[in-house]
Amino acid sequence: MSNRILTCIGCPMGCTLQVEMDGQIVKSVTGNTCKRGDTYARKEVTDPTRIVTTTVRLKNGGVVSVKTKEDIPKGKILECVKELKQLVVEGPVKIGQVVLENTAGTGIPVVATSFSK
Amino acid sequence: MKQCDLVIVGGGPAGLAAAIAAKKNGINDILIVERDEKLGGILNQCIHNGFGLHTFHEELTGPEYAYRFIQMAEELEIPYMTGSMVLDITPEKKLTVINRTEGVMEIQAKSVILAMGCRERPRGALNIPGYRPMGIYSAGTAQRLVNVDGFLPGKEVVILGSGDIGLIMARRMTLEGAKVKVVAELMPYSGGLKRNIVQCLDDFGIPLKLSHTVVEIKGKQKLEGVTLARVDEHNRPIPGTEEYYACDTLLLSCGLIPENELSREMGIAMNPVTNGPVVDESLETSIPGVFVCGNVLHVHDLVDFVSEEAAVAGRNAADYIRGNMEEKKSQGIPVETEGGIRYSVPSVVEPERMHEPVKVRFRVGNVYTNCYISLYLDDIRIQRKKRQIVTPGEMEEMVLKKEFFQEYGRPEKIRIVLEQAKQDDREVNGNE
Ligand SMILES: Cc1cc2nc3c(=O)[nH]c(=O)nc-3n(C[C@H](O)[C@H](O)[C@H](O)COP(=O)(O)OP(=O)(O)OC[C@H]3O[C@@H](n4cnc5c(N)ncnc54)[C@H](O)[C@@H]3O)c2cc1C
Ligand code: SF4
């Protein structure tokens, strides 16, 4: 058995959630004021994911903003950012354009979120 | 002199949504004047996601949200002028505009919508003793440097202020390879969204020190470090609690103020609490035909509400131009706030001029738990909402309907009151 302490992000209450785990199995969630806290805790301890937003360099100087098209596992954030730091794309880039097909082995593409020169 | 039915000052989300609404309500002769090289306002530098959940039911980044509105404005063929700054507006609605290629021009408008947004509090107002070495930036400036110019201001960072921009920048600088050592917050609570505390600080193990401030800045030419100390309930540093952090960058995230130089010079009545103009139910200022919306009216944290508010201003400006707006016959009914609510927008309401339900938006000055927000007409309670918590960081709203006045008569005042709920009254958030 192990315990994880989380802060619920569902609303400004920010309830402190205690999650009791048996390996990968959630035994109980306590501390939540409403149902959303329970749902959040279960996802956050078993499969936490985030959309990553950053910028990539343009060949002719400057940067363009990008994001992962969907959320990726939280543990992959730094790998994804590292990959994108090495990437140089040729402008002009259009909003929605794929700049990387598959980031950090997640199968999820990275797309531009603005127009570049 | 150029004539124009409606001139909109500022091409951020507020200006764009106002223009779109005016156009959809039959006004064709519109001009958006934007100081920057492109439309979109502050959203262009907010590359993180979390915009548009209310409006589009998806999580967009700032530039993507802006682009949706820019596209709509372009489809509606709304004229705009970028790289152009409004220098002056007279009470008669004559605008002086400077444009890099065309020089200075004057425009006579029938109606004006102010949508200039806000800017960050300057650091001079922060009262930090010591020198002002290189390496101190406002969080928003750093955001523009990193996200638009692609330049990382430093490697070792301390952030003062835990508003959303500070939190967002803590994550952003970390992803760019900087070490963010600590975020210090003067208040005993963070002004930022919980989601940002979890996803921008906790995810990266960045500590948040509440009730702390910077008491000393080290370095004459370049920043070398800062000393933090805990503060007591009067915000005075407590001796013996000092801690030194070596750093080359200090980001200040100490709040935003509406950018109202133009409004003040026009002689518009201002609200000292919001630093924005006083407005009525139509978002009209003390000068008839001049409307205001977005961050220049009061600082918003959710852009969705900016767009919604701006659409109201746009529709009302259209009514004004077409002569469909009732003239103000009285002062209107004042909206008073009590029990810890700091202000409301609008602060006066004329029921006769209400063409649609009016959203009254407001903020509290402190954190309150287990309470009610109630709407009264004089002493009659019309509505009550239960809140587990209200915080200064989240704007609240109440909807005023014309029926209320038909049913209960015209009150002396409209009151929005924060009331403590009984201890055992633990039902979850909801309306009554
Ligand atoms: C750093 C930051 C992070 C944020 N994060 C979020 C978030 O995660 N989610 C969310 O929903 N909201 C967020 N917001 C809030 C949201 O972005 C703002 O509320 C919104 O952009 C306000 O829109 P606006 O049009 O009123 O102002 P702005 O976007 O500031 O636009 C005002 C425009 O007016 C122009 N202007 C000013 N003066 C003149 C003049 N004299 N002549 C011509 N043009 C002029 C300016 O150049 C600017 O383009 C954030 C805001 C900031 C600052
Ligand atoms: S558990 Fe419910 S009340 Fe508590 S923070 Fe989460 S959403 Fe809000």
Side-chain angles (χ1 to χ4, degrees):
Chain A
M1 286 286 195
S2 67
N3 269 302
R4 288 266 321 261
I5 310 277
L6 303 171
T7 307
C8 180
I9 62 168
C11 83
M13 272 299 270
C15 296
T16 302
L17 311 172
Q18 286 97 22
V19 191
E20 210 182 0
M21 308 267 300
D22 190 355
Q24 271 305 300
I25 297 159
V26 177
K27 286 283 172 199
S28 72
V29 177
T30 48
N32 54 310
T33 306
C34 76
K35 185 90 205 342
R36 275 187 295 164
D38 187 89
T39 314
Y40 170 76
R42 284 170 198 276
K43 168 102 164 79
E44 187 66 13
V45 294
T46 51
D47 178 27
T49 58
R50 305 282 188 266
I51 286 179
V52 178
T53 61
T54 184
T55 50
V56 297
R57 302 232 156 248
L58 293 163
K59 204 169 169 193
N60 293 328
V63 292
V64 65
S65 60
V66 299
K67 68 171 183 185
T68 55
K69 193 146 193 247
E70 285 159 43
D71 36 1
I72 65 167
K74 191 180 145 191
K76 296 272 186 182
I77 295 177
L78 291 179
E79 193 182 330
C80 163
V81 169
K82 217 179 240 165
E83 232 174 42
L84 291 173
K85 265 195 126 27
Q86 277 147 23
L87 191 69
V88 178
V89 293
E90 196 145 353
V93 177
K94 278 215 218 109
I95 194 166
Q97 182 181 325
V98 174
V99 298
L100 184 67
E101 287 290 345
N102 170 1
T103 184
T106 57
I108 290 166
V110 174
V111 296
T113 56
S114 56
F115 290 88
S116 80
K117 288 207 188 102
Chain B
M1 197 189 326
K2 187 176 155 53
Q3 312 275 327
C4 194
D5 279 352
L6 176 60
V7 176
I8 297 174
V9 188
L16 288 165
I20 291 163
K23 175 90 188 194
K24 285 185 174 164
N25 281 272
I27 305 301
N28 290 316
D29 186 15
I30 303 177
L31 179 64
I32 304 176
V33 184
E34 168 55 52
R35 179 173 63 188
D36 216 341
E37 291 309 319
K38 53 181 180 178
L39 296 172
I42 198 84
L43 291 182
N44 287 323
Q45 69 181 59
C46 300
I47 66 164
H48 57 282
N49 59 307
F51 298 82
L53 272 172
H54 289 259
T55 315
F56 299 111
H57 306 289
E58 51 180 310
E59 267 200 46
L60 302 172
T61 63
E64 290 173 309
Y65 185 93
Y67 182 59
R68 300 253 169 134
F69 281 86
I70 294 170
Q71 242 181 339
M72 274 187 257
E74 278 175 353
E75 273 162 26
L76 290 168
E77 297 176 1
I78 297 171
Y80 60 87
M81 223 162 63
T82 53
S84 307
M85 184 166 168
V86 176
L87 296 176
D88 182 63
I89 313 173
T90 67
E92 294 75 36
K93 305 190 245 327
K94 194 175 82 189
L95 295 95
T96 310
V97 180
I98 185 161
N99 171 287
R100 221 162 280 161
T101 48
E102 291 172 57
V104 177
M105 65 192 102
E106 289 193 328
I107 308 169
Q108 178 65 55
K110 285 189 187 146
S111 175
V112 174
I113 297 180
L114 304 173
M116 290 93 75
C118 60
R119 63 182 144 72
E120 290 179 289
R121 270 178 212 286
R123 65 173 153 140
L126 294 172
N127 270 325
I128 300 173
Y131 290 97
R132 290 288 181 268
M134 266 162 47
I136 306 179
Y137 302 86
S138 73
T141 303
Q143 189 180 43
R144 201 182 57 239
L145 287 174
V146 176
N147 293 346
V148 180
D149 304 336
F151 167 77
L152 186 65
K155 282 278 170 204
E156 292 192 303
V157 187
V158 169
I159 299 178
L160 177 62
S162 64
D164 287 314
I165 315 178
L167 299 175
I168 295 282
M169 283 313 291
R171 173 174 63 190
R172 189 70 193 107
M173 300 277 290
T174 305
L175 291 182
E176 283 299 315
K179 168 85 189 145
V180 179
K181 295 191 163 174
V182 64
V183 176
E185 167 62 55
L186 182 67
M187 304 307 285
Y189 53 84
S190 164
L193 300 172
K194 269 279 157 352
R195 168 196 162 102
N196 285 337
I197 294 180
V198 170
Q199 300 193 348
C200 299
L201 301 187
D202 298 355
D203 273 8
F204 303 96
I206 300 167
L208 170 62
K209 293 203 165 226
L210 299 173
S211 299
H212 273 72
T213 192
V214 171
V215 290
E216 211 184 324
I217 291 171
K218 190 166 172 231
K220 276 188 186 169
Q221 309 267 275
K222 282 170 78 179
L223 182 67
E224 291 166 29
V226 298
T227 304
L228 300 185
R230 179 181 283 283
V231 294
D232 63 18
E233 61 271 30
H234 306 293
N235 292 341
R236 284 183 307 230
I238 303 171
T241 63
E242 295 87 356
E243 261 178 292
Y244 179 73
Y245 291 85
C247 61
D248 58 17
T249 307
L250 173 65
L251 299 190
L252 304 173
S253 172
C254 299
L256 302 163
I257 10 178
E259 183 145 345
N260 271 301
E261 283 69 20
L262 283 175
S263 331
R264 278 200 195 87
E265 279 164 28
M266 272 176 95
I268 285 176
M270 302 293 290
N271 179 332
V273 182
T274 56
N275 282 307
V278 172
V279 292
D280 62 17
E281 74 299 320
S282 309
L283 302 181
E284 192 176 25
T285 64
S286 59
I287 300 180
V290 178
F291 299 83
V292 54
C293 54
N295 275 353
V296 75
L297 175 55
H298 56 148
V299 175
H300 292 67
D301 14 59
L302 283 182
V303 69
D304 305 74
F305 296 154
V306 170
S307 306
E308 196 184 289
E309 181 180 277
V312 173
R315 283 197 290 275
N316 287 322
D319 277 345
Y320 175 88
I321 293 163
R322 290 183 303 162
N324 285 351
M325 186 173 249
E326 295 81 353
E327 240 174 77
K328 274 190 230 183
K329 289 192 206 94
S330 72
Q331 284 280 322
I333 305 165
V335 182
E336 295 187 354
T337 58
E338 299 167 32
I341 299 173
R342 286 176 55 229
Y343 73 86
S344 74
V345 168
S347 55
V348 277
V349 171
E350 182 42 71
E352 312 247 311
R353 302 212 312 169
M354 280 172 64
H355 292 196
E356 52 185 309
V358 166
K359 281 195 177 153
V360 181
R361 298 206 155 106
F362 49 92
R363 279 182 200 271
V364 291
N366 210 328
V367 176
Y368 298 93
T369 53
N370 198 34
C371 51
Y372 289 109
I373 300 169
S374 308
L375 170 70
Y376 288 83
L377 299 187
D378 289 332
D379 293 323
I380 306 165
R381 190 172 74 213
I382 307 292
Q383 237 181 25
R384 182 163 95 154
K385 280 190 199 173
K386 183 71 201 288
R387 284 285 177 273
Q388 284 298 337
I389 190 166
V390 285
T391 71
E394 314 236 345
M395 198 181 277
E396 293 280 345
E397 67 179 39
M398 277 283 187
V399 181
L400 268 182
K401 296 190 182 134
K402 212 169 174 167
E403 296 93 90
F404 297 165
F405 303 101
Q406 284 154 357
E407 197 170 328
Y408 298 97
R410 187 183 172 98
E412 290 285 312
K413 51 189 173 190
I414 297 163
R415 297 162 55 221
I416 312 251
V417 189
L418 186 75
E419 295 164 326
Q420 196 61 47
K422 285 198 290 290
Q423 211 48 47
D424 53 352
D425 206 358
R426 280 250 158 220
E427 72 185 285
V428 283
N429 297 343
N431 288 320
E432 219 175 67

